[in-house]
Amino acid sequence: MSQAKISDAAKAKVAEEIKFDILAGVPELEGDNELKRSQIARTFISDTITVPTKEMYSYALLASLGDDVYHEPSTAQYAKQTYSALEAHIANITGKEAGLFMPSGTMSNQIGLRTHLMQPPYTILCDNRAHIYKYEVGGAGFHSGAAVTPVAPSNGHHLTLKDVEANIVYGPDVHFAPTEVIALENTLNGTIFPQDDIIAISQFARSKGIKMHLDGARIWHVAAETGISLKELLEPFDTASLCFSKGLGAPIGSCLVGSKEYITRARRIRKLFGGGMRQTGFLAGSAAYALTYNFPLLPRVHALASKLQKSLEDLGVTILSPAETCMIFYDASSIGSNYDEIAERGAALPEPLFLGGSRVVLHIQTSEAAVDDFINLLATIAEEKRKAGFVKPETQVNGHPDVYVRRAH
């Protein structure tokens, strides 16, 4: 059929079929969004569930409209006032030469590792609780053909040089894939990795020609809690991934940092992985807002977590991993209950609480009222169990390196 014979009615029909006006009921949708915001303030499952505020949206709308793949102003040059690069800013504050915006922390880690790993065979050494090992769908093996050496920290908290030395692979024995990258995570399960131990591991790694990568998804919490600059925290690492959505409350995005040569290669691999993005200015603007206005909120989060821990301990709840930053891990059985019962009771409150398993995560949108309600809920359950005859055992096994118990859904 020639173009001339296609009627306007036919074209209009196609347009009508394609149309999807999701904002048709704006007043109702806004009401749904306000309900969602109120629920997030009472959600303790993860800090990834934070949502952009109206202020963040307004700020991000001022970002430029360039194409990131073509290096037009976007993540590279986004703000009218400073006209500075998000990637360059993150590189600068971390003491690295260059940065690369990524859609997710998982992609940032996996591209970060893939860029280091040139030719198999090789091994990545990491904590056995590490995100790159447990929660990235086996990506190191799939994307990089890498074996992984997961190591349980002997102190139950973080890897030490002794742990690394005992598990690293190097030397002439052809039976083993040599360790090419040591990947550490800070924070890991909300705990802060002591900088002295990181430096010791890094010095050893560099003496053996082994690269150091940091999964710094929540490194912001370390900087906020310790007052140590990101540059100092990241100095022992060749590369690092930093997340804007975990903790900082941006809707999406991470940044991979390293040398210029490394980031040039990573940019090509990002395209290979399908991560090349176009008009990323809005996302960069959201991240810039998070860095400027949300980072200063983290000390309040830490204070709420400390308050929650003390209150739970006062109730006789066993703390499996204490609140060093934004997370607490607790043992529901220490008050005669279980995670399913607590979650169901929380969901049944007049203003529901949204709870997972052993992990309780606080974030910048957590309300103090929600923390108080969670404390009161556990106090009520603990009292009920005591009246029913529950007696807490005098000795309990706790502090195991892997204390994250997820509820089945």
Side-chain angles (χ1 to χ4, degrees):
M1 183 183 296
S2 68
Q3 187 68 27
K5 294 182 179 179
I6 300 175
S7 68
D8 290 341
K11 295 176 183 178
K13 182 180 178 182
V14 172
E16 188 64 27
E17 291 173 349
I18 292 172
K19 182 174 72 174
F20 181 54
D21 187 359
I22 197 171
L23 299 180
V26 170
E28 294 79 7
L29 189 62
E30 181 60 28
D32 289 344
N33 284 341
E34 290 305 314
L35 174 62
K36 186 63 177 177
R37 288 190 176 95
S38 69
Q39 292 173 341
I40 286 166
R42 300 176 66 79
T43 298
F44 294 93
I45 295 172
S46 176
D47 53 356
T48 60
I49 51 82
T50 53
V51 294
T53 61
K54 294 177 181 178
E55 293 79 10
M56 178 182 283
Y57 274 137
S58 297
Y59 185 96
L61 284 173
L62 300 176
S64 66
L65 304 176
D67 187 303
D68 186 41
V69 171
Y70 290 121
H71 269 288
E72 294 177 353
S74 54
T75 45
Q77 297 168 326
Y78 63 90
K80 291 182 179 179
Q81 291 182 332
T82 62
Y83 206 64
S84 63
L86 175 64
E87 292 164 339
H89 175 70
I90 299 301
N92 180 57
I93 63 176
T94 57
K96 305 304 179 188
E97 291 181 350
L100 182 62
F101 188 79
M102 299 283 189
S104 72
T106 293
M107 179 176 280
S108 188
N109 277 328
Q110 292 303 318
I111 290 178
L113 294 171
R114 183 67 187 86
T115 306
H116 279 307
L117 300 170
M118 299 292 187
Q119 176 63 50
Y122 36 55
T123 301
I124 300 165
L125 186 146
C126 65
D127 193 299
N128 70 338
R129 305 161 296 169
H131 198 275
I132 65 165
Y133 173 62
K134 292 193 72 174
Y135 304 116
E136 296 187 5
V137 208
F142 183 83
H143 295 299
S144 300
V148 177
T149 303
V151 181
S154 56
N155 59 22
H157 185 272
H158 64 277
L159 292 180
T160 63
L161 176 57
K162 184 177 180 181
D163 296 325
V164 171
E165 288 177 327
N167 290 278
I168 205 157
V169 180
Y170 65 94
D173 194 327
V174 298
H175 294 87
F176 306 105
T179 302
E180 188 75 16
V181 177
I182 296 173
L184 304 181
E185 188 171 334
N186 197 13
T187 62
L188 195 162
N189 285 349
T191 61
I192 296 175
F193 204 130
Q195 190 70 4
D196 288 345
D197 286 305
I198 291 175
I199 292 171
I201 293 170
S202 176
Q203 289 174 343
F204 172 75
R206 287 171 174 171
S207 75
K208 303 297 181 184
I210 296 169
K211 303 173 186 70
M212 291 281 291
H213 175 75
L214 172 68
D215 178 354
R218 295 185 176 92
I219 193 69
W220 317 105
H221 285 280
V222 182
E225 181 65 18
T226 65
I228 301 174
S229 71
L230 289 174
K231 182 177 181 180
E232 183 176 347
L233 290 171
L234 270 61
E235 195 283 328
F237 297 93
D238 299 290
T239 58
S241 172
L242 303 89
C243 186
F244 301 122
S245 62
K246 287 182 177 177
L248 293 186
I252 191 173
S254 290
C255 193
L256 179 66
V257 294
S259 68
K260 288 182 179 178
E261 180 182 0
Y262 172 89
I263 292 299
T264 296
R265 176 170 163 78
R267 188 176 293 276
R268 185 183 297 274
I269 295 175
R270 186 186 70 170
K271 181 65 174 173
L272 173 68
F273 276 34
M277 295 172 287
R278 297 300 177 177
Q279 288 72 34
T280 56
F282 180 84
L283 300 178
S286 296
Y289 182 94
L291 292 167
T292 305
Y293 298 103
N294 289 351
F295 176 78
L297 303 178
L298 294 181
R300 171 188 170 272
V301 177
H302 301 170
L304 275 180
S306 296
K307 169 188 172 178
L308 176 57
Q309 177 183 328
K310 183 180 184 306
S311 297
L312 296 188
E313 289 174 330
D314 290 344
L315 294 173
V317 176
T318 296
I319 301 299
L320 301 173
S321 182
E324 296 184 28
T325 55
C326 65
M327 297 185 194
I328 299 170
F329 293 78
Y330 75 104
D331 182 2
S333 70
S334 63
I335 56 171
S337 186
N338 59 67
Y339 302 116
D340 286 335
E341 178 185 16
I342 292 170
E344 290 164 6
R345 294 278 293 272
L349 292 173
E351 290 186 73
L353 293 173
F354 301 90
L355 302 162
S358 62
R359 187 177 78 164
V360 180
V361 186
L362 294 91
H363 49 79
I364 58 173
Q365 293 173 349
T366 301
S367 71
E368 189 157 4
V371 173
D372 291 338
D373 288 347
F374 182 49
I375 294 167
N376 292 333
L377 172 65
L378 290 190
T380 299
I381 293 174
E383 181 62 21
E384 291 173 356
K385 301 300 181 181
R386 279 193 293 269
K387 288 182 178 179
F390 173 77
V391 178
K392 182 179 179 179
E394 292 185 9
T395 59
Q396 286 188 311
V397 178
N398 59 39
H400 187 276
D402 196 350
V403 295
Y404 190 3
V405 179
R406 293 192 180 209
R407 290 183 64 234
H409 293 286

